Amino acid sequence: MTTDTRLRRITGHVVLTVLSIACAFPIYWLYATSLRAPGDVHSLTILPWPLSTANYAAAFANNDVARMLANTAIVALLSAAGQLLVGLLAAYAFAAWTFPLRRTLYLMFVGTWLVPFQATMLPNYVLLARLGLLETLAGVIIPNLCSALGVLLLREHLAGFPKELLDAARMDGRSSWNILWTVVVPVIRPALAALGILLVITAWNEYFWPAMVLQRGNAVVQLGLRSFMGTEGNDWGPLMATAGLACLPVFVLYLVLQRHIVQAFVRSGLK
Amino acid sequence: MSRVRLQGLTRRFGSVTAVDDVWLDVADGELLVLLGPSGCGKSTLLRMIAGLLPPTAGRVLLDDTDVTTVPPQRRDVAMVFQSYALYPHLSVAGNIGFPLRARRRSRADIRRKVTEVAGALDLSALLDRKPRELSGGQRQRVALGRALVRDPGAFLMDEPLSNLDARLRATTRAEIAELHRALGATIVYVTHDQVEAMTMATRVAVLDQGRVEQAGTPAEVYDEPASVFVATFLGAPAMNIVPATVVATDGGLTVRATDLDLPLGIDATTPGRDVLLGVRPEHLTLTGEPGIRAVVTAVENLGGDEVAHCRAGTHTLAVRGPRPLRLAAGDRVGLTARPEHLHLFDPGTGGRLVWRTADIATPERNFA
């Protein structure tokens, strides 16, 4: 190995090390702070000592954290499931069927992606108010049941689906609806799983829309964080503890399904 | 098994006519090969028989039922695809049983039938494997099994051997031919490979630009090609085609071109007529008294045979014969061919010309 390539390798490692510390440190600091004794919250020691779970106790005492986590999970899973189902049906129609105005309809569908959230939030809010769905989880979920991203990604994926496989299934006696569930879904399961994970994480992290719909209660965990921020100052310890709990499911999901998640992000970038 | 009839079947894509007024009658138990170059419309035709593509005009009949508007899942035909189109998430047993599950047959019934078909195709040991764990030849047999398990009225096969290597192709070809004999199955088989067509078919339909140029037994299309296209598409190397003139001489009719003078063996007179003369490379023989005066330009070794490429006048002619031909580039040779091996075609239409009766002054066009 020449000095030149060795130098390049070392530089590369240094840059990557610095970047990963920059990314990981805030998360480490979050958990470190949450585990300090209530008096040490503003301490700047790298290692929290003595360890204390007092902040977690305070978080649970102040809010129904378990309930909020459960609500967040319901919102994330239902909206992700809805987006997957709508995306799958729309993408299948666009990819496997030929019908008049197919291209136009598809572009319109995907075009909704370009409409900024700020433009739709007020009409959606008014509609929910009329329907009496404010302050309910349904109000958080229903406007998010369809995502252009899901349709776009699944359609691009299905466009590469071997047409002969669909033809074969038709010859073998399946109806179009049957083909979707007995052939298409099993074959593209990895893509569906990857997209599903991406959608769950996005929905889990959503703050703004739940904050609009659920103004009085603290029904999802991201809003629960607000209760520790007051005019007299922030209650950092329980705040960090709750934030740490809010991040946990995403980290667990990530650790278990790492390969799928990386694939999901790569797909959404490339295809 | 069923009889398949195509009546005036036509398919246009925009301004392009992919299949143009095709009439074919595939008898019960027949293996009809649709043969043609890529883009001739043979796969489009097959997809219309399958019901995967609606025709622009014409009818498809299975036995006596008009199935033109019947969707594929309710037609009694099975298809073997070029890519095999095996379901990647299902095992071999799952793939073969798939059509039966779609028909809601009982589990025991399906298992019995799958075992039977797998046994016949030598797949019994592989029933639990996924398609990606199989070799090309095994995948091909699974695709065949999935068609066989249904006991369909007719089989449609779209270039099923084109993804196999040469040796496997030869054995699978024999297997399909054997299957056809054993089952007495009606098979419509699409290929661009003339060897497959000649060896397997009971009848060949040669297609060009969406039209059936000729339909007949392999021997008929080879020995009496109906057009220049059929003549040059079949045979390796292709039939030699030379623009020439038929003239009357003292010894009867003779076909003439530069450095070429071959008697037709017909004792008659005719005014001069321009034709295209066709003669197969294996029908040209070396002779002392030249009908054709040619110079050898190159010699190819095919193993058992040799092909000598020759120049006569402005034309090149291929001569095929058992090795060694004892020729080398630069040799001057005389060539001849027996009158029954000379084919005449109309220079305008490309259609085959036959001499009908002695009292008709000009050779008449005849479409087979």
Side-chain angles (χ1 to χ4, degrees), chain A residues 64-148:
Chain A
D64 192 350
V65 176
R67 171 81 194 277
M68 290 195 303
L69 286 173
N71 283 344
T72 316
I74 289 170
V75 169
L77 290 176
L78 283 185
S79 43
Q83 292 179 16
L84 266 190
L85 184 67
V86 171
L88 179 67
L89 294 176
Y92 180 54
F94 282 127
W97 289 59
T98 353
F99 48 89
L101 296 180
R102 174 165 78 151
R103 221 183 137 62
T104 319
L105 282 172
Y106 176 61
L107 287 178
M108 282 169 64
F109 223 122
V110 172
T112 61
W113 200 21
L114 303 176
V115 179
F117 169 69
Q118 286 80 353
T120 56
M121 69 182 185
L122 284 179
N124 274 342
Y125 185 83
V126 173
L127 187 61
L128 286 183
R130 295 262 171 89
L131 293 171
L133 289 175
L134 290 181
E135 305 298 331
T136 64
L137 289 182
V140 181
I141 296 167
I142 289 171
N144 285 320
L145 280 181
C146 166
S147 87

Side-chain angles (χ1 to χ4, degrees), chain A residues 163-176 178 182-184 186-187, chain B residues 47 50 52 72-73 77 81 83 85-89 98-99 101-103 146 150:
Chain A
K163 264 253 186 297
E164 286 204 332
L165 220 48
L166 301 179
D167 289 343
R170 284 178 74 194
M171 297 297 301
D172 285 345
R174 299 278 179 178
S175 66
S176 199
N178 262 323
T182 57
V183 177
V184 176
V187 171
Chain B
R47 289 171 60 81
L52 293 169
Q73 60 265 33
V77 292
F81 292 84
S83 67
L86 301 181
Y87 308 114
H89 59 294
F98 192 86
R101 281 201 304 284
R103 281 167 184 72
R146 194 174 61 185
R150 289 176 49 185

